């Protein structure tokens, strides 16, 4: 039931981090992968090369999910090169860590635009064809910050990630009747470049499992939501945080 042969998956922001781990895992289970990131970089090329080295299919498409026109081009090119996209993983995200008094309007807009508007921009284009085909999976990356509020005062990031949860539930209601499930994953502290050393250290005392997650431990939950293993699960948020929010 974890077999994704014949499915294609777009994973936004998958040149590195959780997105890359998800791209590799979904490819291992048979999915064709569209690797997306802001620009063509050696990291993006490496993700594609790793999938091809495993015998998988992958293409790289550069696009900024925060920009509506760029997301539209991403959709056109993805459908053109892969034929159909059955699984959409909205993983692209940024964090501009700061406390409220010091968050500039520019940073507020950037964090909301990538983390929340980016989800709208891709879903708007990729979900209708899934509804027409009668099968689809949307997996949105929220965060523990969207569940309980960031411990570090970043109200913009917490708002965006809480917004992703509301978006997920509303879209799940809209497209459930056409066989498209929509779920969110809310990671705690994961060892990637988005995480500062300071935040990682400060979080450890609050994690019952006593350690930071690996990107692969988030990817395995994404695989569950992408597959037929989760066929009756929609509109949910799965907390993957070592017990630090329960
Ligand atoms: N690492 C953590 O502790 C943690 C915790 C909770 C949630 N998350 C979420 O998980 C997701 C993945 O983060 P990560 O930890 O792998 O971070 P990361 O910084 O390693 O990866 C994020 C990727 O998104 C790309 N990206 C940024 N803006 C983009 C845009 N506008 N369009 C396309 N791509 C863009 C980046 O270039 C990068 O490759 C994010 O949504 C993040 O908020 C991470």
């Amino acid at each position: 039931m974890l077999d994704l042969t014949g499915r294609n998956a777009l994973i936004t922001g998958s040149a590195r981090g959780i997105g890359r781990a998800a791209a590799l895992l979904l490819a291992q289970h048979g999915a064709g992968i569209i690797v997306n990131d802001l620009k063509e970089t050696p990291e993006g090329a490496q993700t594609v090369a790793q999938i091809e080295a495993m015998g998988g299919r992958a293409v790289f498409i550069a696009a900024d999910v925060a920009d509506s026109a760029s997301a539209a081009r991403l959709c056109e090119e993805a459908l053109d090169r892969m034929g159909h996209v059955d699984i959409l993983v909205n993983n692209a995200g940024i964090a501009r860590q700061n406390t409220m008094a010091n968050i500039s309007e520019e940073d507020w807009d950037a964090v909301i635009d990538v983390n929340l508007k980016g989800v709208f921009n891709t879903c708007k284009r990729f979900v209708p064809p899934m509804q027409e085909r009668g099968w689809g999976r949307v997996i949105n990356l929220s965060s523990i910050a969207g569940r309980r509020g960031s411990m570090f005062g970043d109200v913009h990031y917490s708002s965006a990630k809480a917004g992703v949860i509301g978006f997920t539930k509303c879209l799940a209601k809209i497209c459930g009747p056409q066989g498209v499930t929509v779920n969110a994953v809310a990671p705690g502290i994961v060892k990637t470049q988005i995480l500062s050393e300071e935040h990682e250290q400060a979080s450890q005392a609050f994690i019952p499992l006593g350690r930071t997650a690996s990107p692969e431990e988030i990817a395995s939950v994404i695989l569950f939501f992408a597959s037929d293993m989760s066929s009756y699960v929609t509109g949910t948020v799965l907390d993957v945080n070592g017990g630090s929010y329960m």
Side-chain angles (χ1 to χ4, degrees):
M1 288 178 87
L2 289 174
D3 185 17
L4 301 178
T5 305
R7 308 282 191 208
N8 292 325
L10 164 65
I11 301 153
T12 66
S14 51
R16 67 181 195 218
I18 294 169
R20 172 187 277 176
L24 296 178
L25 190 62
L26 268 54
Q28 271 167 25
H29 286 79
I33 306 291
I34 299 140
V35 178
N36 153 260
D37 218 286
L38 272 174
K39 293 180 195 148
E40 292 201 22
T41 57
E43 289 175 311
Q46 199 191 340
T47 307
V48 170
Q50 277 181 269
I51 293 169
E52 288 175 345
M54 304 185 307
R57 288 176 304 124
V59 298
F60 182 90
I61 305 178
D64 177 356
V65 297
D67 180 78
S68 178
S70 186
R73 282 194 298 276
L74 170 64
C75 183
E76 253 175 56
E77 195 177 337
L79 295 179
D80 194 41
R81 292 174 71 181
M82 299 295 269
H84 51 95
V85 174
D86 314 282
I87 300 161
L88 168 63
V89 183
N90 282 306
N91 167 79
I94 58 167
R96 296 202 177 159
Q97 286 156 3
N98 218 330
T99 49
M100 191 173 78
N102 297 314
I103 292 172
S104 65
E105 187 175 351
E106 189 201 342
D107 279 357
W108 171 271
D109 288 345
V111 168
I112 300 291
D113 283 358
V114 178
N115 294 287
L116 182 56
K117 194 169 91 177
V119 177
F120 165 69
N121 282 340
T122 54
C123 286
K124 186 173 166 162
R125 272 95 192 176
F126 285 97
V127 169
M130 291 179 192
Q131 291 173 288
E132 276 167 33
R133 287 167 60 85
W135 194 97
R137 295 283 186 266
V138 179
I139 301 132
N140 297 325
L141 269 289
S142 177
S143 166
I144 192 169
R147 299 285 270 165
R148 63 156 192 214
S150 164
M151 290 167 67
F152 306 106
D154 7 13
V155 290
H156 46 359
Y157 187 76
S158 301
S159 303
K161 294 303 191 183
V164 166
I165 293 172
F167 184 100
T168 299
K169 289 175 188 286
C170 185
L171 187 60
K173 287 192 171 81
I174 293 168
C175 58
Q178 292 87 42
V180 179
T181 68
V182 187
N183 291 288
V185 180
I189 299 290
V190 190
K191 192 77 186 166
T192 68
Q193 288 184 41
I194 211 172
L195 179 67
S196 70
E197 191 68 33
E198 182 201 347
H199 286 186
E200 184 177 8
Q201 292 305 325
S203 306
Q204 295 305 308
F206 306 98
I207 307 174
L209 289 184
R211 62 176 176 82
T212 300
S214 69
E216 290 72 23
E217 289 175 308
I218 312 303
S220 59
V221 173
I222 294 172
L223 172 63
F224 166 71
F225 280 136
S227 75
D228 283 328
M229 289 282 272
S230 62
S231 53
Y232 202 60
V233 183
T234 196
T236 66
V237 186
L238 212 156
D239 296 302
V240 193
N241 56 39
S244 52
Y245 169 80
M246 59 175 86

